[in-house]
Amino acid sequence: MFLMKDIVRDGDPVLRKQAQKVKFPLSKEDQQLAHDLMEYLEVSQNPELCEKYKLRAGVGLAAPQVGVSEMMASVLVPNEDENESDKPLFKDVIINPVIVSNSVQRGALTEGEGCLSVDKDIPGYVPRAARITLKYTDVKGEDHKIRLKNYPAIVCQHEIDHLHGTLFYDHINKDNPFAKSDDEIFIY
Ligand SMILES: O=CN(O)CCNC(=O)c1cccc(Cl)c1Cl
Ligand code: NI
């Protein structure tokens, strides 16, 4: 199981590298990595376990963040209104993901973004595509082509950025971190 000590922090070159494509069939190591990347999210989103293991909660985790420069990331976006379905908005390990198209319309989270690999809070809007069409392969080797919007779309873009050596604050407007263009939507 990954703990905070296993998370690579900003400054380590692995976070700025282009990760390598993952080969199929998955090696035993890659199968274990996929499992561990998702397990971290599940544990971190459980209040008791998160506290017990002193984790920072996350909705995504990319392989370079644990020092593995491969194109693999876990995404677990919970359904906020628990009373409704307990089914997450999006849950999968995305392997060799490619954003095949994105909306002209941009979107950002009103509260900005955070990253396990960046210890300090960096305020500001992180402008991203409001909607994306994502192609990826899952751990079973099945290919997917899905359309995402709002929070799941934002999180997948944050994770795919990691696979290309980009960190969320690279997108924040230096002059005015909270600059907003009129056609940008804001996701709560
Ligand atoms: O790369 C993944 N992490 O660094 C895990 C910690 N950050 C988050 O869970 C997080 C928080 C806010 C907005 C986004 Cl988009 C994300 Cl992803
Ligand atoms: Ni991150």
Side-chain angles (χ1 to χ4, degrees), residues 13-22 33 37 60-75 93-99 115 128 134-137 155-168:
V14 75
L15 291 171
R16 291 300 187 178
K17 282 172 66 180
Q18 164 58 52
Q20 296 299 307
K21 267 194 84 170
V22 173
L33 177 62
L37 287 172
L61 186 60
Q65 295 184 273
V66 291
V68 180
S69 194
E70 288 188 1
M71 299 201 75
M72 182 190 294
S74 56
V75 179
V93 176
I94 59 177
I95 302 171
N96 301 329
V98 177
I99 294 174
C115 187
R128 297 187 185 280
L134 170 66
K135 267 187 173 176
Y136 71 91
T137 306
V155 174
C156 284
Q157 289 173 79
H158 177 116
E159 300 317 321
I160 291 167
D161 266 357
H162 274 303
L163 308 181
H164 298 287
T166 299
L167 295 174
F168 75 94

Side-chain angles (χ1 to χ4, degrees), residues 6-18:
D6 303 308
I7 304 295
V8 171
R9 305 302 155 89
D10 195 3
D12 186 311
V14 75
L15 291 171
R16 291 300 187 178
K17 282 172 66 180
Q18 164 58 52

Side-chain angles (χ1 to χ4, degrees), residues 16 122-125 127 167-179:
R16 291 300 187 178
I122 303 178
Y125 293 139
L167 295 174
F168 75 94
Y169 61 77
D170 299 343
H171 301 290
I172 296 174
N173 184 314
K174 310 272 177 300
D175 309 326
N176 173 0
F178 291 96

Side-chain angles (χ1 to χ4, degrees), residues 4 40 50 62 126:
M4 289 310 292
Y40 179 93
C50 187
V126 181

Side-chain angles (χ1 to χ4, degrees), residues 79-96:
N79 202 322
E80 280 321 311
D81 41 353
E82 293 309 315
N83 50 9
E84 240 180 65
S85 69
D86 257 343
K87 188 171 165 303
L89 291 180
F90 186 68
K91 176 176 185 177
D92 214 350
V93 176
I94 59 177
I95 302 171
N96 301 329

